[in-house]
Amino acid sequence: MINTEWYSIRTLTLPATAVALLITFFIVWLILRLQFSKKWSELYSDAIFTFIIVWKLSLLVTDFKTVVSNPITVLYFNGGTIGVYLGVIVASLQIWRRRNRLQLEGEDMTACSWAIILTQSIYQMLVVLLNDNNTTSEVITLVVLSVVTLVILWKLAAMKQALFLYTVSYLIVAILQPLGIWQTAVAISVILLCLGLTIQHERINVGGKE
């Protein structure tokens, strides 16, 4: 989806995509906190904090001269698309490094898949609701992702199948969106799919069941 709206929060003016992201982070954290053990909500919040810090400080990479001449710009700007990629990659690596502390039981696999899928699904639906894009693509996005997400959360216990189903469904939806599959969210979805599959593989290696 294309960002078309901006929202003011006190002295800050944020694009609808950023507002959707912040709301998504809170909702998913709350769901994990209420539905699963505390370790998963803490792991999620740590990963989100890392993502935001890297995303903001990535401005040093994309516009170093501006930050050096006016450091306060870090509070108002970020590294854009490059910053998003860096933030997701660093946060994913953080989760991977902490894998040995995770007791990879069945519930933990469910919590992990819920975190990955809900973050993407809720974000996409909020972006649709907060922006003004083509009505047909918006309706398709809302209907397909909400139905697929509900089916996954209630019917699919296997993490691998759940992640594959969501990613494929989102790719189909993305094709019908204005930017097609050449949008940052699609690449992030693939990265998160790889993260989930890697964690699943780690669980099998330590004696878990698929």
Side-chain angles (χ1 to χ4, degrees):
M1 287 294 171
I2 299 175
N3 186 84
T4 62
E5 305 295 331
W6 293 74
Y7 295 86
S8 296
I9 303 177
R10 293 191 177 183
T11 59
L12 289 177
T13 300
L14 300 173
T17 49
V19 175
L21 199 60
L22 294 175
I23 296 175
T24 297
F25 288 157
F26 175 74
I27 292 175
V28 177
W29 173 84
L30 185 60
I31 291 174
L32 293 176
R33 185 70 181 88
L34 296 175
Q35 187 70 23
F36 302 99
S37 62
K38 186 179 179 180
K39 68 179 180 181
W40 276 101
S41 59
E42 291 178 345
L43 180 64
Y44 184 80
S45 60
D46 289 345
I48 295 310
F49 179 76
T50 297
F51 167 80
I52 293 175
I53 293 299
V54 174
W55 176 51
K56 296 293 290 182
L57 295 182
S58 63
L59 190 63
L60 289 167
V61 176
T62 59
D63 198 356
F64 180 76
K65 291 183 179 180
T66 299
V67 177
V68 171
S69 61
N70 190 14
I72 199 172
T73 55
V74 174
L75 296 177
Y76 298 96
F77 301 100
N78 55 73
T81 300
I82 293 177
V84 171
Y85 283 124
L86 290 175
V88 171
I89 291 172
V90 173
S92 297
L93 290 175
Q94 179 188 50
I95 295 174
W96 170 246
R97 289 187 61 185
R98 293 177 61 180
R99 69 192 185 282
N100 291 330
R101 283 188 251 173
L102 300 176
Q103 297 179 3
L104 302 173
E105 302 295 335
E107 181 181 278
D108 295 302
M109 290 298 96
T110 301
C112 184
S113 60
W114 275 41
I116 292 174
I117 293 169
L118 284 174
T119 298
Q120 298 180 80
S121 184
I122 294 175
Y123 170 74
Q124 286 295 324
M125 287 188 280
L126 285 175
V127 167
V128 167
L129 295 173
L130 293 175
N131 283 294
D132 183 18
N133 285 286
N134 179 273
T135 302
T136 301
S137 63
E138 288 187 346
V139 171
I140 292 175
T141 299
L142 288 172
V143 172
V144 173
L145 293 187
S146 59
V147 171
V148 170
T149 301
L150 289 174
V151 169
I152 289 173
L153 299 186
W154 286 347
K155 298 295 183 180
L156 290 182
M159 181 177 182
K160 183 184 297 184
Q161 287 84 348
L163 292 176
F164 268 123
L165 176 59
Y166 180 84
T167 304
V168 170
S169 299
Y170 178 56
L171 287 174
I172 295 173
V173 167
I175 293 175
L176 302 175
Q177 293 179 345
L179 297 178
I181 62 172
W182 306 111
Q183 51 183 306
T184 304
V186 174
I188 298 304
S189 184
V190 174
I191 293 174
L192 294 177
L193 169 65
C194 294
L195 173 63
L197 295 180
T198 302
I199 293 176
Q200 172 72 11
H201 180 70
E202 180 73 11
R203 177 193 176 220
I204 295 173
N205 284 345
V206 297
K209 295 181 180 179
E210 188 172 5

